[in-house]
Amino acid sequence: NGNVDAARTALRSGVHRCTGERAASLYLAWALLERSQANYASARRFFSVAASLQPRDPVIWVSWASMEQGLDAAPRPLSHDHDALATRDGANTVGGVDHARDIMRHAARLLEAAYTPPSHPISHLASRNPHASDRAQAMALFFNTWAALEARAGEADEATRLYGKALLYCAEHAATLHSWGVLEARRGHLDRAR
């Protein structure tokens, strides 16, 4: 496809001209392009580069883990190195829930070391800050995505724990409130869902 080839050429040119956050954004875009073309090994490589350039960007980790969750699971050792997370038996489709969890756990260690939840209470939603920072929103998205991964895998208790973490960062995160409510309703806990 000419458009995909042109996009690759533009991204290749861009990553050689940029550094830091800008380069990470371009590598993330390239990873997403390769994912859309089912070039998962290349996507992994570009996610890994983006993560090495911006290890505290929740969007990179969420995007990478979301791709992995959708792929067929295969046994693999746990790793705490994002380069090793990208190199999985050289296969183009190795992935799955376990690999997505590896990525999210690795990312959580990096992110939580850098960003602590704001001090506003989540039990009094009326007093929440309607203008949460972009970082708080991104951290809530990170934990909400991880919780949804766990919910889809049948790990409702872990999903509940992670939804709670998301709300520590951003009490008004609508996607988290909705997803957690749906999970509780499906579990038959209508009082909690409300």
Side-chain angles (χ1 to χ4, degrees):
N1 181 330
N3 292 336
V4 171
D5 291 338
R8 286 182 179 127
T9 300
L11 288 164
R12 187 175 298 112
S13 174
V15 298
H16 288 102
R17 292 186 179 140
C18 297
T19 59
E21 188 175 335
R22 288 187 178 141
S25 295
L26 290 172
Y27 277 111
L28 174 59
W30 201 345
L32 295 171
L33 172 70
E34 296 302 339
R35 179 180 75 179
S36 76
Q37 299 301 302
N39 295 325
Y40 303 117
S42 292
R44 268 188 205 102
R45 187 171 69 249
F46 296 131
F47 279 127
S48 178
V49 173
S52 69
L53 292 170
Q54 285 294 108
R56 293 183 177 108
D57 183 342
V59 174
I60 293 169
W61 297 108
V62 163
S63 299
W64 188 358
S66 294
M67 178 189 81
E68 296 296 349
Q69 182 185 12
L71 300 176
D72 294 331
R76 67 191 53 79
L78 292 175
S79 174
H80 302 294
D81 173 17
H82 43 265
D83 289 333
L85 290 169
T87 309
R88 297 294 185 177
D89 309 322
N92 196 40
T93 59
V94 174
V97 172
D98 289 337
H99 188 43
R101 281 185 184 125
D102 288 350
I103 290 167
M104 296 304 270
R105 286 181 187 130
H106 177 72
R109 281 190 294 278
L110 296 172
L111 296 169
E112 289 181 304
Y115 308 112
T116 57
S119 59
H120 59 67
I122 64 168
S123 60
H124 300 94
L125 293 178
S127 67
R128 65 184 182 231
N129 177 2
H131 304 289
S133 73
D134 290 344
R135 179 59 59 192
Q137 290 278 348
M139 290 298 289
L141 172 68
F142 174 82
F143 284 107
N144 179 59
T145 302
W146 190 359
L149 178 153
E150 296 297 349
R152 284 190 295 277
E155 299 295 334
D157 290 340
E158 181 65 1
T160 296
R161 184 185 76 77
L162 292 166
Y163 285 134
K165 273 194 119 151
L167 294 178
L168 287 175
Y169 284 93
C170 184
E172 69 276 5
H173 196 254
T176 300
L177 293 167
H178 171 72
S179 298
W180 195 355
V182 168
L183 174 67
E184 293 298 349
R186 287 184 180 152
R187 294 175 77 186
H189 303 143
L190 296 180
D191 55 325
R192 292 183 201 167
R194 292 185 185 114

